[in-house]
Amino acid sequence: MNCLRSLLLASGALLATNTWAADVKIVSWNIAASPYEKLLVRASDYKKMADTLSPDVIVLIELTGRPDIKAIAEAIGWPTYYATTSDGQVQGDEIHASLEVGVLSKIPITSVIEFDPKPEGRTVQVFTNSKPDGDSSIPVSEMPLKGIDMMGLAATDRGTLRVDLANGLTLFPVHLKSNSNDACFAAGDAIKGLKKLDLPPAPALQSILDNGSDVKAKADKDNAFKRERVIAATKVVADHAVADGRTVLIAGDWNTSFEPGKFGQSFDDCQLAAFTCAKAPFPASTCTGDGFDDTFAVMTVPLAGSQKWTMLTKDLGRTFKDTEFADKAIDHISAPAAQAASFAAPKVASDTFGSDHFPIFTAWTAGP
């Protein structure tokens, strides 16, 4: 029976490989975390995105539970689809405490591994149109994302999925730590509180917002470190997929950009000077020497793992709609350097489709 099942799976994979031998379009999109009711209201956004960009595979970021990806799949309305999401947890009271990643595909998913900072032992199967509660014939397993616990797990540590498709493509969706700075939030909230009491803002608090502080600079470097260690752990398991003979992409919301002075080439970080809390392009003069954010160098040098990767999105413009930030991408797609030529240059969609991020997309030419 097991031999017959293996033969059927292999035959299905071969058929799918031949069916999807042409270009495969891949979209990566942070949909913006929303309560489930609001997500349902946005059904037309998901349908419009799919109709406009015509993807074969969608990497989805900021899902807040398993029902999200089902609702998106139903809104898009593909005749046949396969979908998987990390954790599959129940949406919590604090929406940003349950940010997950997922993949929605027209191409059959053959297997999924959830790499989690702290595995919970859940069993969350891949689901399809015909089996919306989960298809037990598609193996799903959970493993620890090794390496990020060396300094203790952080509340913001997020996992990833290894999603193998029947055409030989493997996807790792990621959502890395943002640049949210507690020192800036604390100063801003304190000033708002004083204003409610009709009291003037304390000069020291206003100085933090205007000029930054050593505490704020440390938090900026800590955010970069959290991105580095999660992408390094992800890269190691993605390197394993390359060694398995797969064509591999890491895609999602990396929350960092190729801003001069910020990104570095080694773990020898600059001494970062304090700078304003205002939303603005990074002031390169505050970081002399090698940059302090080595997220991209982890991939390209590489500073971790065995394979050298290419950031396909290095030259992309804005992918986050807030124009007060630098006109640089924070959503990225990366491929092993040896495979990069098989992917079209990524582009940014002209619409956010109701999100605060623009979708980005590429196409993979599988070859003859």
Side-chain angles (χ1 to χ4, degrees):
M1 181 62 72
N2 287 338
C3 292
L4 177 60
R5 178 179 178 278
S6 298
L7 180 61
L8 289 172
L9 284 173
S11 300
L14 180 61
L15 177 62
T17 300
N18 291 334
T19 302
W20 294 98
D23 289 357
V24 175
K25 193 169 187 180
I26 305 144
V27 166
S28 177
W29 185 30
N30 183 320
I31 64 170
S34 303
Y36 186 63
E37 292 77 10
K38 185 175 180 180
L39 182 138
L40 292 177
V41 171
R42 289 182 56 202
S44 61
D45 290 333
Y46 311 123
K47 181 73 166 79
K48 182 179 178 183
M49 184 280 295
D51 289 347
T52 302
L53 301 182
S54 300
D56 300 301
V57 182
I58 311 171
V59 174
L60 293 164
I61 310 300
E62 287 200 2
L63 300 169
T64 61
R66 184 170 166 83
D68 286 11
I69 199 167
K70 286 187 178 183
I72 293 168
E74 290 171 4
I76 289 173
W78 286 341
T80 302
Y81 69 77
Y82 302 79
T84 186
T85 184
S86 58
D87 274 346
Q89 62 196 44
V90 176
Q91 210 177 67
D93 293 334
E94 177 53 56
I95 203 75
H96 287 90
S98 55
L99 299 181
E100 303 295 341
V101 296
V103 171
L104 175 63
S105 176
K106 292 179 181 177
I107 303 163
I109 293 174
T110 56
S111 67
V112 178
I113 299 173
E114 180 184 351
F115 291 99
D116 202 306
K118 188 178 180 181
E120 299 89 352
R122 297 188 180 101
T123 300
V124 183
Q125 299 168 345
V126 170
F127 61 90
T128 71
N129 306 49
S130 59
K131 297 182 178 180
D133 294 323
D135 187 343
S136 60
S137 71
I138 304 175
V140 178
S141 57
E142 187 179 31
M143 297 180 66
L145 188 59
K146 296 179 179 178
I148 68 171
D149 56 350
M150 293 172 59
M151 301 295 290
L153 290 175
T156 53
D157 286 338
R158 303 178 184 123
T160 185
L161 300 169
R162 170 177 168 164
V163 182
D164 289 356
L165 304 182
N167 62 351
L169 184 64
T170 293
L171 300 167
F172 287 84
V174 295
H175 188 192
L176 303 184
K177 176 67 178 68
S178 73
N179 286 296
S180 298
N181 192 293
D182 288 343
C184 293
F185 282 137
D189 287 346
I191 290 174
K192 289 177 184 176
L194 290 171
K195 287 182 177 179
K196 287 181 180 179
L197 297 172
D198 290 328
L199 295 174
L205 292 173
Q206 192 63 51
S207 177
I208 290 173
L209 295 183
D210 294 341
N211 307 309
S213 68
D214 291 340
V215 173
K216 189 259 186 191
K218 180 182 182 301
D220 287 323
K221 294 186 76 170
D222 286 347
N223 285 335
F225 172 70
K226 291 172 183 177
R227 285 189 290 270
E228 292 165 7
R229 68 185 194 145
V230 172
I231 201 61
T234 301
K235 182 184 182 298
V236 169
V237 292
D239 284 350
H240 294 164
V242 178
D244 291 342
R246 309 287 299 183
T247 299
V248 187
L249 278 188
I250 300 176
D253 182 0
W254 297 51
N255 269 311
T256 191
S257 59
F258 280 96
E259 292 185 75
K262 182 177 181 180
F263 70 94
Q265 294 298 310
S266 75
F267 287 133
D268 294 326
D269 292 345
C270 68
Q271 184 66 39
L272 183 62
F275 61 95
T276 177
C277 288
K279 297 177 181 179
F282 175 71
S285 61
T286 61
C287 186
T288 55
D290 192 59
F292 70 94
D293 189 339
D294 304 309
T295 302
F296 302 130
V298 167
M299 307 298 300
T300 60
V301 172
L303 297 181
S306 58
Q307 299 283 335
K308 185 174 183 178
W309 289 57
T310 298
M311 296 302 303
L312 299 177
T313 44
K314 181 177 180 179
D315 298 322
L316 276 190
R318 183 183 313 283
T319 62
F320 188 65
K321 72 175 183 180
D322 193 331
T323 57
E324 293 183 40
F325 291 106
D327 191 15
K328 300 281 186 180
I330 63 170
D331 300 88
H332 294 284
I333 299 172
S334 185
Q339 300 176 358
S342 64
F343 293 95
K347 296 181 180 179
V348 183
S350 59
D351 191 344
T352 63
F353 303 100
S355 177
D356 53 356
H357 288 249
F358 295 90
I360 60 175
F361 55 93
T362 184
W364 175 49
T365 302

